[in-house]
């Protein structure tokens, strides 16, 4: 019998994975649109 | 404990939604922290429900924060464990990773004025790791952290010093 904990962890992980996919899509769309700016930070 | 001394801070805009990504490394392990504004990214209904779930109204400058290995993000294989090609993430590296996450979260707060962060643990092991970070760093950073949220008790809400009622 599968534990409830394993099922519920899978739900959270699935939700996170879907969110990451959307983030990736947004980032790639921003790259296409030329709205990505990167700053390199160095501290002592 | 050595801190991260250099990182890349990326801002990207699509559909008028301003998101951020921080790239950093611990030895040969490279990571992304990804920040998405909550109010601009969700519909009113879902934002209202999220507020009810955590017990306070979600203010402006609230962000969902996600954290993953760079190779996972680039290959669309999210939240995978590192392959054997990388050095072992031993206790020392995990401590440095924890310090880095806190340091860069504080950096993001300073740059954006973030009031609240929302995060989730991808596994029970990561939940233990994040809970340890809360115990070790929350007081020093003056963050108020709500743990064990959500149906699976793997979610967190983090009020920063910028939070106003």
């Amino acid at each position: 019998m599968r534990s409830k904990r394993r099922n519920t962890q899978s739900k959270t992980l699935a939700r996170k994975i879907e969110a990451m996919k959307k983030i990736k899509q947004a980032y790639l769309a921003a790259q296409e649109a030329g709205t990505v700016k990167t700053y390199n930070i160095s501290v002592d | 404990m050595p801190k991260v001394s250099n990182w890349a801070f990326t801002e990207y805009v699509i559909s008028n939604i301003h998101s951020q990504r921080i790239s950093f490394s611990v030895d040969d392990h490279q990571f992304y922290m990804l920040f998405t504004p909550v109010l601009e990214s969700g519909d009113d209904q879902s934002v209202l429900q999220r507020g009810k779930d955590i017990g306070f109204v979600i203010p402006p400058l609230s962000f969902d924060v996600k954290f993953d290995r760079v190779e996972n993000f680039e290959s669309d294989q999210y939240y995978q464990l590192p392959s054997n090609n990388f050095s072992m993430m031993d206790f020392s590296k995990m401590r440095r990773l924890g310090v880095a996450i806190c340091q860069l979260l504080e950096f993001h707060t300073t740059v954006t004025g973030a009031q609240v962060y929302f995060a989730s643990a991808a596994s029970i092991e990561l939940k233990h790791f994040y809970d340890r970070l809360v115990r070790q760093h929350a007081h020093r950073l003056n963050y108020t952290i709500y743990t064990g949220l959500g149906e699976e008790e793997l979610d967190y809400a983090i009020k920063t010093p910028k939070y106003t009622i």
Side-chain angles (χ1 to χ4, degrees):
Chain A
M1 184 173 71
R2 298 182 69 185
S3 71
K4 187 180 179 186
R5 176 60 102 173
R6 188 186 303 177
N7 284 338
T8 56
Q9 283 181 26
S10 295
K11 278 169 68 176
T12 298
L13 185 55
R15 174 166 52 92
K16 286 172 66 71
I17 288 171
E18 285 310 302
M20 276 297 218
K21 288 178 183 175
K22 288 181 183 170
I23 289 170
K24 179 91 177 268
Q25 283 171 1
Y27 181 78
L28 292 175
Q31 271 190 325
E32 282 280 328
T35 57
V36 177
K37 290 182 189 172
T38 296
Y39 308 88
N40 291 308
I41 316 285
S42 285
V43 297
D44 293 332
Chain B
M1 177 61 55
K3 293 186 174 183
V4 177
S5 58
N6 55 77
W7 60 91
F9 179 70
T10 298
E11 291 184 299
Y12 59 101
V13 184
I14 196 70
S15 302
N16 212 29
I17 298 174
H18 294 247
S19 303
Q20 299 86 35
R21 186 179 80 184
I22 295 177
S23 315
F24 70 100
S25 59
V26 175
D27 293 346
D28 56 322
H29 300 268
Q30 295 180 302
F31 301 96
Y32 284 151
M33 287 176 75
L34 301 139
F35 302 86
T36 311
V38 172
L39 297 185
E40 293 84 339
S41 303
D43 57 78
D44 291 345
Q45 186 78 4
S46 65
V47 169
L48 200 62
Q49 186 57 51
R50 288 181 74 175
K52 284 181 182 173
D53 290 344
I54 57 174
F56 59 87
V57 174
I58 298 176
L61 296 172
S62 292
F63 292 86
D64 283 315
V65 53
K66 300 270 184 296
F67 165 75
D68 200 355
R69 300 179 62 83
V70 167
E71 71 271 13
N72 289 345
F73 187 84
E74 299 299 342
S75 67
D76 302 322
Q77 300 294 315
Y78 305 106
Y79 301 115
Q80 297 297 308
L81 292 172
S83 73
N84 292 334
N85 296 331
F86 294 95
S87 66
M88 192 171 170
M89 278 297 286
D90 57 17
F91 181 72
S92 169
K93 286 199 184 81
M94 290 300 290
R95 281 191 70 192
R96 287 165 56 199
L97 177 61
V99 169
I101 288 171
C102 294
Q103 176 189 347
L104 295 170
L105 203 62
E106 194 177 19
F107 167 79
H108 184 269
T109 303
T110 302
V111 169
T112 64
Q115 295 196 52
V116 177
Y117 293 109
F118 296 94
S120 296
S123 66
I124 195 69
E125 290 79 16
L126 277 173
K127 173 177 162 55
H128 293 155
F129 174 65
Y130 294 146
D131 285 348
R132 262 198 305 278
L133 292 185
V134 170
R135 286 194 298 272
Q136 289 168 353
H137 299 284
H139 181 73
R140 175 180 62 81
L141 295 173
N142 200 19
Y143 285 2
T144 303
I145 303 184
Y146 301 77
T147 63
L149 300 176
E151 183 186 342
E152 297 85 8
E153 299 179 0
L154 293 172
D155 299 345
Y156 299 79
I158 303 165
K159 287 181 182 173
T160 77
K162 307 281 186 186
Y163 175 78
T164 55
I165 299 171

